Amino acid sequence: MTDRFPQTDIDRMMSHLRSMGAPFGITFADRPFLSNSRQALIAAELARDEGRFQAVHEAIFSAYFSRGLDIGSLDVLSGIVQDAGIDAAQLADAVRKDTYVSRLQEAQRQAGEAGVTGVPTFVLGGKRTIVGAQPLEVFRSTLRKLK
C-alpha cells in the first residue's frame, strides 16, 4: 500500500479508523495491501439475489477491515458466501461470466450523478451528504440542520 500512499497517511488513517470504531466494538486490522473489490461487489450482488445480502455484506466488511483479509481473493470470498449458505460455485460462475457487471456499472453511474466522491457516503434527507467515517456529532449536527 505504501507504493500508493505515504506511510504517514496510512498511519493517520488507521489511527482515525480505530478511534472511530472503538466505541462501537469495531476493530481495524493493519493491512499492507489494498484489495480490488470488484469480486466482493459481485459476491454482494449474488447474495442480494439469494436473500443473504446483509450477512455477506457484514462478513466482507469484517474480513477486510477487522481480519485484514484480501477481499479481492476468490478463495476468501468463497468462504464468506459458503458461510452465508450460498454455493461457492455460484460465485465462481458469476465472477467468470461477469453476471453482475451491468448492475454494478449502473450503480456507479447513479452514484456519480448523485455526486458521491467516496465511501462511505451518507445522504440524509435527500439533501445533505456526509463522506467518510465521521464522528457522531457530525451526523447529529447535519440532522439538526434538516429540521
Side-chain angles (χ1 to χ4, degrees):
M1 190 161 23
T2 55
D3 60 323
R4 297 180 81 181
F5 303 101
Q7 187 63 49
T8 55
D9 289 350
I10 295 168
D11 293 344
R12 187 179 64 236
M13 177 191 70
M14 292 308 301
S15 176
H16 177 69
L17 286 174
R18 287 186 177 111
S19 70
M20 297 300 295
F24 303 100
I26 301 170
T27 59
F28 290 91
D30 286 325
R31 288 179 325 279
F33 56 84
L34 289 173
S35 291
N36 181 330
S37 61
R38 181 178 181 272
Q39 292 183 148
L41 293 168
I42 290 171
E45 291 304 317
L46 171 62
R48 185 183 313 281
D49 284 355
E50 296 294 317
R52 292 177 166 64
F53 175 81
Q54 194 61 37
V56 170
H57 172 76
E58 289 175 10
I60 290 171
F61 182 95
S62 175
Y64 185 67
F65 288 107
S66 297
R67 296 170 40 215
L69 300 176
D70 181 3
I71 60 166
S73 162
L74 190 56
D75 290 338
V76 169
L77 294 169
S78 293
I80 289 171
V81 299
Q82 282 180 318
D83 289 348
I86 301 170
D87 184 1
Q90 284 181 269
L91 175 60
D93 192 49
V95 168
R96 187 178 67 256
K97 292 180 179 178
D98 284 337
T99 304
Y100 297 100
V101 169
S102 62
R103 188 186 297 178
L104 295 172
Q105 288 171 335
E106 176 60 16
Q108 187 176 24
R109 185 192 65 73
Q110 289 175 0
E113 286 180 1
V116 173
T117 59
V119 291
T121 294
F122 303 90
V123 179
L124 305 174
K127 302 174 189 175
R128 300 199 182 256
T129 59
I130 298 172
V131 179
Q134 299 294 327
L136 182 57
E137 188 50 42
V138 171
F139 287 88
R140 287 182 177 143
S141 173
T142 303
L143 288 169
R144 280 187 214 109
K145 292 174 185 174
L146 290 174
K147 292 182 179 184

